[in-house]
Amino acid sequence: MKQLNRQQIISIVSQLDLISPIENGFIQYSRGQVVIPPVGELLLDKGEVHIKYGYVKADDYYVIKIASGFYKNPEIGLSSSNGLMLLFNQQTGELVCNLMDEGYLTDIRTAIAGAICAKYLAPKKITAIGIIGTGIQARLQAIYLKTVTRCRHIVVWGRNKVKLDEYQCYMQEQGFSVMISNSIEELAQHANLIISTTPATSPILKAEYLKPGTHITAVGSDTAEKQELAVDILAMADLVVADSFHQCQQRGEIFHALTNNKISKGDITELGNIIAKGQGRMDDNQVTIADLTGLAIQDIKIAEAVYFSSNEKDE
Amino acid sequence: MKQLNRQQIISIVSQLDLISPIENGFIQYSRGQVVIPPVGELLLDKGEVHIKYGYVKADDYYVIKIASGFYKNPEIGLSSSNGLMLLFNQQTGELVCNLMDEGYLTDIRTAIAGAICAKYLAPKKITAIGIIGTGIQARLQAIYLKTVTRCRHIVVWGRNKVKLDEYQCYMQEQGFSVMISNSIEELAQHANLIISTTPATSPILKAEYLKPGTHITAVGSDTAEKQELAVDILAMADLVVADSFHQCQQRGEIFHALTNNKISKGDITELGNIIAKGQGRMDDNQVTIADLTGLAIQDIKIAEAVYFSSNEKDE
């Protein structure tokens, strides 16, 4: 059994193309080649734990991910996110690799999914990347967009002035120019690729803010309670993409738009099908939406990719 | 993070009183002091994986157990059982201990539950221990009964002559005299403490075989398909005990007796309540049944006990 700690995993990930394996995972998912049981959930006084697991039938492994969020941890100097991924042999059940990533790979695979959405759905010419929020996904989403766009201009909006300044400083070090906007409306006037990364529980991005040709990737909402986009945005969109048709009927932005009869199930396209076709956006005036709720297939693919790469290093 | 391998765990377990913590766990379970979500299940071509998890509200940890059964493993020299238990901090979500037991602790906690049942339900004078089956539980159940009875006489029944001989040999080395019986009927004539440990899917122990004063612990049936006891046994029993009132309505011997209207829910007593009262059997002529389907609370308690003991050793 191999064991990789967070530092080793960070080092491996920095040298890895993760877009290809995760794209492949989304395709396999949409083709029904993946087994993913319902997510396990454990609720505690100070946090919550999710267990996501499954396997690609044609692969050699199954993966069980344990990811936790303990929201008071930062008060005592700990990260709120934690967890690990376990890779087992599909033929024997033997534990092959313990990836003690402490939540790192979940952050990365989420950012990779955002980059994949932008690859197929963002307009050809990106005027600015609009980032709503200042947390870890606000950073990683922009950093991984580097692999799919040359645009290095960010317009950011957040509620907290100190965090905005920190964000600006950090992202400038990453090679971006960063403009802090006074409102989400202003952000949407500058940016035609918008990534929303907040845990908002009522819509903060309105339909009337948007310019034609904008693509929005909604990353923040992964439960039935959370919502960042006004349902009118999904109603007006030319293309509404779900990471999982099944999961997006139960949580996230699409769930709200369906519940409010703003869109119908027939309006939804699954990300894996967009990737398989190699084309999402049809012209520069379309408004497109991608709703990412987070799938175990992303965990499976990133765990396998890191494990394979660690073996190559050993050789 | 501490890591314990199978050999270290075996060494710790050999020196540990596990009856007390697991008894305490059953009491806490029956008092509603435990959070246990539904079991996660992953089905593969050659095996199945179960994820059992939860925590005692008053304890410091939560435990996630991954246990697998890959039934063709013995053909390639591997154990069919495998898995690990992970102990996390309830306050922060940090991984505290990785118990890489490869399924060992599941076997042990199952045997301990059997010993606890015998402690409260077996007749005062045990004429012989009847063991149905020759597998790992057929061995461990008898070995752990040593802690609650002085009887060292086993009557065993199994389908396979070679395995019966191996069983006899192995258990003689463990300090038992072992008689191989020709039928389950013959076994039931000698033994008044019977442990059934097979994966039978239709009843093999019949009501007419039983002597007054017999206690039966049914260990084998942990799904809705499996069944070792004729439902008439539960109908005639003076006391029917379930490890979990909830779980036994969905699987195991009690499930079959309920489904066939041989007993009603009011006839069932939960093991934790028997332990809390300190008394099960009322006289030497009662027929008593304990149906063990296996609970996450047993995993939680054994993982905690092993972890605590490993810390004492470190000091």
Side-chain angles (χ1 to χ4, degrees):
Chain A
M1 195 271 299
K2 170 172 276 186
Q3 190 146 299
L4 298 171
N5 66 28
R6 184 181 167 97
Q7 274 314 313
Q8 292 170 309
I9 291 168
I10 289 173
S11 162
I12 291 169
V13 164
S14 70
Q15 297 164 43
L16 217 52
D17 163 33
L18 288 166
I19 299 229
S20 307
I22 292 180
E23 278 193 348
N24 191 30
F26 280 120
I27 292 173
Q28 291 171 315
Y29 178 81
S30 290
R31 288 183 176 161
Q33 297 165 348
V34 180
V35 175
I36 298 183
V39 176
E41 187 177 60
L42 189 64
L43 302 176
L44 298 109
D45 273 355
K46 294 190 179 167
E48 54 186 58
V49 184
H50 289 101
I51 308 175
K52 292 191 173 183
Y53 54 109
Y55 62 96
V56 178
K57 291 173 194 169
D59 285 0
D60 293 328
Y61 306 100
Y62 59 94
V63 172
I64 299 176
K65 176 179 88 165
I66 298 160
S68 61
F70 281 73
Y71 303 105
K72 291 189 168 178
N73 273 3
E75 293 173 13
I76 52 169
L78 294 174
S79 167
S80 59
S81 306
N82 213 324
L84 70 160
M85 295 190 186
L86 301 164
L87 193 92
F88 296 87
N89 184 316
Q90 244 185 63
Q91 301 300 315
T92 64
E94 288 169 293
L95 179 59
V96 174
C97 188
N98 176 4
L99 298 119
M100 303 183 55
D101 68 315
E102 299 172 22
Y104 176 73
L105 290 176
T106 299
D107 291 339
I108 297 299
R109 61 81 155 159
T110 303
I112 303 272
I116 292 170
C117 291
K119 179 176 168 188
Y120 295 98
L121 297 166
K124 268 198 208 91
K125 182 161 169 47
I126 298 172
T127 50
I129 300 163
I131 300 283
I132 305 177
T134 55
I136 181 73
Q137 279 305 313
R139 293 164 198 226
L140 286 176
Q141 289 283 338
I143 290 166
Y144 275 91
L145 282 174
K146 282 182 172 182
T147 59
V148 297
T149 171
R150 289 183 188 164
C151 178
R152 296 292 179 268
H153 183 51
I154 290 173
V155 185
V156 63
W157 179 87
R159 292 179 199 277
N160 184 310
K161 179 78 178 77
V162 174
K163 287 186 179 169
L164 276 168
D165 289 342
E166 284 171 3
Y167 182 84
Q168 185 175 45
C169 189
Y170 182 85
M171 295 310 288
Q172 280 170 348
E173 286 168 15
Q174 302 295 319
F176 290 93
S177 69
V178 180
M179 185 185 108
I180 295 174
S181 77
N182 295 309
S183 67
I184 294 178
E185 188 168 4
E186 188 192 350
L187 175 147
Q189 287 310 305
H190 288 92
N192 59 354
L193 168 58
I194 299 176
I195 321 289
S196 64
T197 69
T198 77
T201 51
S202 59
I204 52 177
L205 183 60
K206 305 286 167 66
E208 57 268 30
Y209 299 169
L210 298 178
K211 291 187 299 188
T214 298
H215 170 71
I216 305 163
T217 298
V219 174
S221 178
D222 56 357
T223 68
E225 293 71 36
K226 295 183 196 163
Q227 184 180 9
E228 299 185 277
L229 311 191
V231 287
D232 288 337
I233 295 179
L234 287 91
M236 75 182 270
D238 297 284
L239 187 56
V240 175
V241 176
D243 54 2
S244 158
F245 185 72
H246 177 75
Q247 194 162 289
C248 287
Q249 290 178 52
Q250 299 166 333
R251 52 184 70 195
E253 308 300 338
I254 288 172
F255 161 74
H256 290 285
L258 284 171
T259 308
N260 287 282
N261 293 314
K262 293 289 183 175
I263 60 171
S264 66
K265 289 182 188 180
D267 296 325
I268 305 164
T269 306
E270 213 167 54
L271 181 56
N273 293 326
I274 298 272
I275 299 166
K277 257 195 320 188
Q279 189 176 30
R281 167 177 294 272
M282 303 297 283
D283 67 58
D284 281 346
N285 287 315
Q286 284 192 321
V287 169
T288 55
I289 313 290
D291 188 8
L292 298 180
T293 56
L295 301 187
I297 185 63
Q298 297 163 255
D299 302 314
I300 294 165
K301 287 297 175 180
I302 200 167
E304 289 179 346
V306 169
Y307 172 65
F308 292 147
S309 175
S310 77
N311 284 346
E312 283 165 18
K313 283 192 168 182
D314 291 346
E315 278 162 14
Chain B
M1 195 271 298
K2 169 173 279 188
Q3 191 145 298
L4 299 171
N5 65 29
R6 184 182 167 97
Q7 273 314 313
Q8 291 170 310
I9 291 168
I10 289 173
S11 161
I12 290 169
V13 164
S14 70
Q15 298 165 43
L16 217 52
D17 162 34
L18 288 166
I19 299 230
S20 307
I22 292 180
E23 279 193 349
N24 191 30
F26 279 120
I27 293 173
Q28 290 172 316
Y29 178 82
S30 290
R31 287 184 176 159
Q33 298 165 350
V34 179
V35 175
I36 298 182
V39 175
E41 187 177 61
L42 189 64
L43 303 177
L44 297 109
D45 272 354
K46 295 192 179 166
E48 54 186 59
V49 185
H50 289 101
I51 309 175
K52 293 191 173 184
Y53 54 109
Y55 61 94
V56 178
K57 291 173 192 167
D59 285 359
D60 294 328
Y61 306 100
Y62 60 92
V63 172
I64 299 176
K65 177 180 87 165
I66 298 159
S68 60
F70 282 72
Y71 303 106
K72 291 190 169 179
N73 273 3
E75 294 173 13
I76 52 169
L78 295 173
S79 167
S80 60
S81 306
N82 213 325
L84 70 162
M85 295 192 187
L86 301 163
L87 193 93
F88 296 88
N89 184 316
Q90 243 186 62
Q91 303 298 315
T92 64
E94 289 170 292
L95 178 60
V96 174
C97 188
N98 176 4
L99 297 119
M100 301 182 56
D101 68 317
E102 300 173 21
Y104 175 74
L105 290 175
T106 299
D107 290 338
I108 298 299
R109 61 81 155 156
T110 304
I112 302 271
I116 293 170
C117 291
K119 178 176 166 187
Y120 295 98
L121 297 166
K124 269 200 208 90
K125 180 159 173 47
I126 297 171
T127 51
I129 300 163
I131 300 284
I132 304 177
T134 55
I136 181 73
Q137 281 303 313
R139 292 164 197 227
L140 287 175
Q141 290 282 339
I143 289 167
Y144 275 91
L145 282 174
K146 283 182 171 181
T147 59
V148 297
T149 172
R150 289 185 189 162
C151 178
R152 296 290 179 270
H153 183 51
I154 290 173
V155 185
V156 63
W157 180 87
R159 292 182 199 275
N160 184 310
K161 179 77 179 78
V162 174
K163 288 186 179 170
L164 276 168
D165 289 342
E166 285 171 3
Y167 181 84
Q168 185 176 43
C169 188
Y170 182 85
M171 296 309 288
Q172 280 171 348
E173 285 168 15
Q174 303 294 319
F176 290 93
S177 69
V178 180
M179 185 185 108
I180 295 174
S181 75
N182 294 310
S183 67
I184 295 179
E185 188 169 5
E186 187 192 352
L187 176 147
Q189 287 309 306
H190 288 94
N192 60 354
L193 168 58
I194 298 175
I195 322 290
S196 64
T197 70
T198 75
T201 51
S202 59
I204 52 177
L205 185 60
K206 305 285 166 67
E208 58 267 30
Y209 299 168
L210 298 179
K211 290 187 298 186
T214 298
H215 170 72
I216 304 163
T217 297
V219 174
S221 177
D222 56 357
T223 68
E225 291 72 37
K226 294 183 197 163
Q227 184 181 9
E228 298 184 277
L229 312 191
V231 289
D232 288 338
I233 295 180
L234 287 92
M236 76 181 271
D238 297 285
L239 188 56
V240 175
V241 176
D243 54 1
S244 158
F245 184 72
H246 177 73
Q247 194 161 289
C248 287
Q249 290 178 52
Q250 299 166 334
R251 54 183 72 193
E253 308 300 338
I254 288 173
F255 161 74
H256 290 285
L258 283 171
T259 308
N260 287 284
N261 293 313
K262 293 289 183 174
I263 60 171
S264 66
K265 289 184 187 179
D267 296 326
I268 304 164
T269 305
E270 212 168 54
L271 180 56
N273 294 325
I274 298 272
I275 299 167
K277 259 195 321 189
Q279 190 177 28
R281 168 177 294 273
M282 302 298 281
D283 67 57
D284 281 346
N285 288 313
Q286 284 191 322
V287 169
T288 56
I289 313 290
D291 188 8
L292 299 180
T293 55
L295 301 185
I297 185 63
Q298 298 163 253
D299 301 314
I300 295 165
K301 287 297 175 179
I302 200 167
E304 289 179 348
V306 169
Y307 172 64
F308 292 148
S309 175
S310 76
N311 284 346
E312 282 165 18
K313 284 192 168 182
D314 292 345
E315 277 163 13

